[in-house]
Amino acid sequence: MPKSEIHPNWFPNAPVLCEGKTLCSIGSTKPQLQLDVWLGNHPFYTNSQTLVDSEGRVERFMKKYGLQTKEN
C-alpha cells in the first residue's frame, strides 16, 4: 500500500486557461493551469508572424567587414 501522506492532491478536471478562457480540462496536481501561449494565439500558427530581420545574414556580414559581394 502506498503512503497516503506523501502524494500530492489530484484534480481530475483541472481547467486549462489562456487569457481567461477555458481551453480544456485535464488531470493535474494543480487546481487550474494558466497558459501564456498556445496554438490558438501563437504568431506562427495564426499567420501574424512578422520578420524583423529584413537584411540577410550574408549581406550583414559583408557590410560589417566592408567586403564586396559578387554583384558589386
Side-chain angles (χ1 to χ4, degrees):
M1 293 293 257
K3 295 181 180 179
S4 60
E5 298 85 32
I6 64 168
H7 297 288
N9 292 333
W10 181 253
F11 299 95
N13 292 317
V16 178
L17 305 171
C18 185
E19 298 177 354
K21 298 176 187 174
T22 302
L23 302 175
C24 63
S25 295
I26 62 169
S28 176
T29 57
K30 295 187 177 192
Q32 73 177 18
L33 301 170
Q34 189 72 32
L35 298 178
D36 294 329
V37 177
W38 72 289
L39 181 69
N41 67 358
H42 192 279
F44 180 79
Y45 297 108
T46 58
N47 291 328
S48 63
Q49 183 177 17
T50 57
L51 295 175
V52 177
D53 185 13
S54 61
E55 191 175 21
R57 291 183 181 186
V58 173
E59 288 80 14
R60 279 189 287 157
F61 177 84
M62 299 300 246
K63 186 177 177 182
K64 180 178 178 180
Y65 294 104
L67 303 173
Q68 300 232 349
T69 60
K70 292 181 182 179
E71 301 160 356
N72 294 340

